[in-house]
Amino acid sequence: MSSKSIAELICPAPLPAKDTVLLGHGSGGKLSADLLREVFLPFLNNPVLARLDDQAVVAINGQRVAITTDSFVVKPLFFPGGDIGSLAVHGTVNDLAMGGAVPLFLSAAFILEEGLAVEQLKRVVNSMQRAAEAAGVQVVTGDTKVVEKGKGDGLFITTTGIGVVPEGVELSADRAQPGDKVLLSGPIGEHGIAILAQREGLEFETTIKSDSAPLHTLVARMLGASREIRCMRDPTRGGVSSTLNEIAQQSRVSIELEEWTIPVSEDVRGACELLGLDPLYVANEGKLVAIVAPEAADPILQAMRKHSLGKEASIIGSVQEEHAGLGRVMMRTTLGTKRIVDMLAGDQLPRIC
Amino acid sequence: MKYLDEYRDQRIAHALVAEIFQVTTRPWVLMEICGGQTHTIMRYGLDELLPRGVELVHGPGCPVCVTPLETIDKAIELALRPDVILVSYGDMLRVPGSKSDLFRAKALGADVRIAYSPLEAVKIARARPDRKVVFLAIGFETTAPANAMAAWQAKREGLTNFSMLVSHVLVPPAIRALMASAENRVQGFIAPGHVCTVMGCGEYERLVADFRVPIVVGGFEPVDLLEAILMLVKQLEAGEARLENQYVRSVSYKGTVMAQQIMAEVFEVADQKWRGLGPIPRSGLRLSEKYGDLDADRVFGLAALTVDEPAECMSAQVLQGLRKPTECPAFAIRCTPENPLGAPMVSSEGACAAYYQYRRHAKAS
């Protein structure tokens, strides 16, 4: 245990995660962002893609159309509060809704693993139909492929959606401004914990259900209350913290949250305490985060609370000038101190003891 | 949340801080042993609430950080064998060995599974008699009883395809090594509440007597830690050195006897190498002779594999409380959680990760 000067010290050899795709690249955290920046954008870049919103908004003959696509690889296929079918509809409807678009049509591509029970597939497709009907969208085209046993995980679904963006609605993650308020539509972490509780090896009983739900009618209600919404995002994988970090980065601002204003149900808090997870990083499938002009915050909040999916909406923080050397997203804790709310590198891993 | 919110209560916390200010007349250096405690301190910014002279340094209580390189290399080597299923606590998967880590091994096709309980590994062994299931049994006294239980269960069932790669460490010998070091600055310890829940706090009495150093067993919530700090400062200011227990709602003098019994049944105390700290006599646990046939080292003939650690590593200084993570020139520049140079940046319980996650801005000031 001898002491050496700092200059003499070295650390074990670095292992940059650049040569192989790891599971962490799919976590929605920094590794996912690296993949986007270093692999996809250099080849596929264009002004629409470069906005990095959850949906692309393009004009066709003067009509603004939103397009989005999303793949669903959830395991187990059926979970409390939903299944891969309803999730595939809600996820894509929500990505359209976050651009302020009215969702209209979906496509669905199925990758089936040899050996999947047709009965299961029927249940999934039936659930998709019910979810689509409830959301007022139609699945108008699709595709199926089958891969050999062991080459898939039962069933993967990719859905693509299009919708129209009403006149005067302009939402993008680069529009947040100092002074804006941050709104959250309800308690966080329910989808991620519901899925985790179902996974093999985690034997705890819980009544937590996925919050999977289509958000476009809530969005319509919000836009009805005020058009002063800068941007909206549904905090899916990576949770609220990743979403807010992305917005802060794209808008070149900082965001300050107040810990005590963030709604988390008792059940989710309990499960997170037990597993050593932070609900801010846990996935949601029926919640939205909105950045709105300060004067519009109250009317929008009131409108959200009148909708069944926004009853527990709250203002969780505000947008500030970008300050150098500080984290992009900061949190004022219940004790009055401040800490960084960082984007995670990969998935959250449960602690050892 | 009942039984937790009280320990995060702003008024109680601020009252404790006020009392710490009242009793402090001189500077003191205190060490919290456990990485979980370090995280609470960083997450709530407790160190920023304290009088200027009361310095918290962070101890070696991060199980992932102190697991030696060769254990990780062995785990990777085993995981890459087609007949092996390697089962581990999730936190271990991202820790770099000398060349790779378990996440990378998994990406290359190794069957690596994350378990929340070691008994899960036994269950897999039962279900897959065609494969050899190896559980990576690491950690402090907190994980030892459950790991021991897995070995006991596997032996009772006569499972021949289950083994454990063991790298267990013990807290008291580490405190002894820190105190015996010529460079030691620590004047009082917050002992780890979870470890003491298992082992009781009685075994810390010897350390208090041998080094005349106050030790307070502390919990993991902000109010727990502030109260433990207050108890330490009061002792130091009065020139006392006693063992005290702040975490009375969980820790007794004797600890959890049943847990100690299963540990004694399965493990025996042995010399142990710590990543960053080097070898410390009688500071670890290995499988006892009776359970030797479950020892993965023996089953797979791995014992010969030894890996030299880099001659010096900054993380050693961090794990001994000699340096703060922010003093490292690589911190938050070349060394980040997505590209960790040392184990304390990898584990969610590592001190560097705690500073990075909650306190990166401290570097600028």
Side-chain angles (χ1 to χ4, degrees):
Chain A
M1 291 196 191
S2 66
S3 179
K4 297 224 170 178
S5 83
I6 289 275
E8 290 174 86
L9 296 168
I10 54 153
C11 269
L15 296 172
K18 292 183 196 297
D19 48 350
T20 317
V21 173
L22 305 176
L23 270 179
H25 283 110
S27 67
K30 281 185 200 161
L31 287 175
S32 307
D34 287 351
L35 210 56
L36 195 61
R37 196 179 53 243
E38 289 163 24
V39 178
F40 292 104
L41 285 179
F43 293 105
L44 298 176
N45 205 2
N46 61 61
V48 182
L49 183 63
R51 283 208 294 268
L52 297 180
D53 282 325
D54 287 347
Q55 69 301 117
V57 177
V58 294
I60 303 175
N61 292 335
Q63 172 64 58
R64 286 195 306 146
V65 175
I67 312 171
T68 190
T69 191
D70 210 337
S71 294
F72 298 83
V73 297
V74 66
K75 187 183 172 181
L77 299 177
F78 302 90
F79 48 83
D83 55 68
I84 191 170
S86 55
L87 190 64
V89 171
H90 295 157
T92 293
V93 163
N94 290 347
D95 280 348
L96 292 173
M98 294 307 109
V102 178
L104 294 173
F105 302 108
L106 302 187
S107 77
F110 296 81
I111 295 176
L112 314 173
E113 185 188 7
E114 183 186 22
L116 175 73
V118 172
E119 190 51 42
Q120 289 215 328
L121 183 59
K122 273 190 187 162
R123 268 177 77 191
V124 169
V125 179
N126 184 17
S127 164
M128 279 184 95
Q129 166 53 24
R130 275 183 281 130
E133 202 175 305
V137 295
Q138 283 177 286
V139 179
V140 291
T141 182
D143 180 49
T144 55
K145 294 283 187 299
V146 180
V147 295
E148 282 171 58
K149 184 147 189 77
K151 300 278 167 72
D153 209 350
L155 169 62
F156 298 146
I157 303 178
T158 300
T159 50
T160 299
I162 62 170
V164 294
V165 184
E167 199 67 36
V169 172
E170 183 116 13
L171 304 175
S172 184
D174 60 5
R175 297 185 68 234
Q177 295 168 25
D180 288 351
K181 297 289 181 200
V182 183
L183 272 56
L184 174 64
S185 66
I188 58 172
E190 288 164 0
H191 178 74
I193 296 295
I195 296 291
L196 201 60
Q198 294 297 307
R199 292 251 165 103
E200 206 181 334
L202 192 64
E203 288 163 358
F204 72 84
E205 285 183 22
T206 160
T207 52
I208 301 168
K209 283 187 181 158
S210 168
D211 58 344
S212 180
L215 293 165
H216 60 295
T217 56
L218 175 64
V219 171
R221 192 77 65 90
M222 292 165 70
L223 284 167
S226 168
R227 287 288 166 100
E228 291 299 305
I229 302 175
R230 317 280 193 214
C231 73
M232 281 189 272
R233 281 270 167 108
D234 56 337
T236 54
R237 37 166 213 186
V240 168
S241 65
S242 298
T243 296
L244 291 176
N245 270 285
E246 285 166 10
I247 293 172
Q249 191 170 359
Q250 284 169 42
S251 295
R252 297 177 180 282
V253 293
S254 290
I255 290 175
E256 188 169 304
L257 304 177
E258 288 170 338
E259 190 168 27
W260 57 92
T261 64
I262 298 170
V264 187
S265 75
E266 284 292 293
D267 286 353
V268 169
R269 274 184 72 193
C272 284
E273 287 291 340
L274 206 66
L275 296 168
L277 304 176
D278 185 339
L280 277 174
Y281 298 95
V282 180
N284 310 276
E285 290 291 346
K287 296 295 176 310
L288 66 81
V289 163
I291 310 283
V292 307
E295 65 279 9
D298 272 327
I300 292 172
L301 188 65
Q302 296 317 319
M304 290 171 84
R305 286 182 174 164
K306 283 184 194 136
H307 191 283
S308 60
L309 294 175
K311 271 186 281 192
E312 292 174 71
S314 60
I315 298 175
I316 61 166
S318 59
V319 178
Q320 307 190 343
E321 297 279 352
E322 184 176 38
H323 20 71
L326 291 175
R328 293 190 183 282
V329 181
M330 301 291 290
M331 168 108 87
R332 194 173 285 281
T333 71
T334 47
L335 299 189
T337 51
K338 272 193 196 183
R339 68 172 171 94
I340 293 177
V341 177
D342 201 12
M343 208 161 173
L344 286 193
D347 289 300
Q348 268 197 116
L349 298 171
R351 65 166 170 237
I352 287 180
C353 62
Chain B
M1 206 179 310
K2 217 174 167 191
Y3 308 126
L4 256 187
D5 286 344
E6 299 90 317
Y7 295 95
R8 295 173 185 172
D9 185 276
Q10 187 183 0
R11 276 175 315 144
I12 302 172
H14 285 159
L16 285 165
V17 168
E19 207 180 335
I20 294 169
F21 266 92
Q22 226 168 42
V23 299
T24 307
T25 64
R26 277 171 290 170
W28 299 110
V29 179
L30 313 178
M31 174 182 275
E32 82 282 355
I33 291 291
C34 177
Q37 293 168 330
T38 307
H39 265 256
T40 302
I41 290 166
M42 288 298 124
R43 186 188 165 100
Y44 290 91
L46 300 186
D47 53 334
E48 292 178 350
L49 297 172
L50 297 177
R52 192 172 283 255
V54 177
E55 185 188 351
L56 296 177
V57 296
H58 318 302
C62 159
V64 166
C65 306
V66 299
T67 300
L69 274 174
E70 58 209 76
T71 304
I72 296 160
D73 285 359
K74 282 178 187 175
I76 293 166
E77 189 189 310
L78 286 177
L80 286 169
R81 292 174 58 136
D83 56 338
V84 166
I85 299 174
L86 187 103
V87 185
S88 167
Y89 294 119
D91 236 10
M92 284 306 291
L93 267 64
R94 219 185 285 144
V95 187
S98 59
K99 291 187 194 74
S100 183
D101 62 42
L102 285 167
F103 265 129
R104 260 158 252 265
K106 191 166 150 62
L108 293 174
D111 193 345
V112 180
R113 305 196 190 171
I114 294 178
Y116 300 88
S117 155
L119 287 171
E120 189 60 28
V122 178
K123 210 161 127 189
I124 296 170
R126 201 182 297 137
R128 294 299 303 268
D130 56 318
R131 303 279 293 278
K132 292 173 181 161
V133 175
V134 182
F135 181 68
L136 180 49
I138 69 131
F140 283 89
E141 294 92 326
T142 40
T143 51
N147 292 350
M149 195 68 207
W152 182 82
Q153 181 76 26
K155 195 162 188 70
R156 201 180 65 143
E157 290 183 32
L159 293 174
T160 52
N161 63 330
F162 177 85
S163 62
M164 302 208 306
L165 186 58
V166 178
S167 179
H168 261 293
V169 283
L170 301 171
V171 170
I175 295 184
R176 186 167 290 278
L178 289 171
M179 284 306 293
S181 159
E183 301 161 81
N184 174 56
R185 298 169 58 223
V186 180
Q187 295 163 294
F189 288 94
I190 302 175
H194 290 155
V195 167
C196 294
T197 301
V198 175
M199 302 304 290
C201 53
E203 61 176 346
Y204 292 80
E205 213 126 50
R206 273 290 296 276
L207 292 163
V208 169
D210 288 356
F211 298 101
R212 257 200 68 74
V213 63
I215 298 181
V216 174
V217 180
F220 298 82
E221 296 301 324
V223 164
D224 286 323
L225 286 160
L226 289 170
E227 192 179 17
I229 291 164
L230 175 64
M231 289 161 86
L232 279 175
V233 173
K234 274 185 177 168
Q235 282 198 48
L236 288 163
E237 291 282 349
E240 295 172 348
R242 284 180 289 116
L243 174 68
E244 285 187 286
N245 183 8
Q246 179 276 327
Y247 203 34
V248 282
R249 66 183 185 280
S250 178
V251 173
S252 66
Y253 191 81
K254 284 193 173 152
T256 312
V257 175
M258 268 174 74
Q260 294 165 20
Q261 280 167 348
I262 188 82
M263 282 167 70
E265 156 78 15
V266 172
F267 293 125
E268 62 190 25
V269 173
D271 295 348
Q272 172 75 26
K273 190 171 166 186
W274 296 53
R275 187 173 193 168
L277 303 181
I280 302 176
R282 298 184 58 74
S283 69
L285 296 173
R286 68 171 173 224
L287 287 165
S288 64
E289 198 45 49
K290 187 174 162 194
Y291 285 82
D293 52 345
L294 296 184
D295 185 348
D297 268 332
R298 205 187 283 187
V299 172
F300 295 93
L302 293 173
L305 189 103
T306 53
V307 184
D308 285 329
E309 307 249 358
E312 284 288 350
C313 173
M314 177 69 196
S315 61
Q317 305 271 313
V318 172
L319 289 168
Q320 293 173 68
L322 298 173
R323 307 264 192 205
K324 291 274 163 62
T326 42
E327 290 177 63
C328 174
F331 177 80
I333 300 168
R334 280 181 299 118
C335 184
T336 58
E338 62 271 29
N339 188 17
L341 300 183
M345 185 58 99
V346 178
S347 168
S348 58
E349 286 171 87
C352 298
Y355 270 76
Y356 187 91
Q357 196 177 346
Y358 303 126
R359 191 66 69 71
R360 204 146 69 243
H361 54 291
K363 179 108 180 166
S365 60

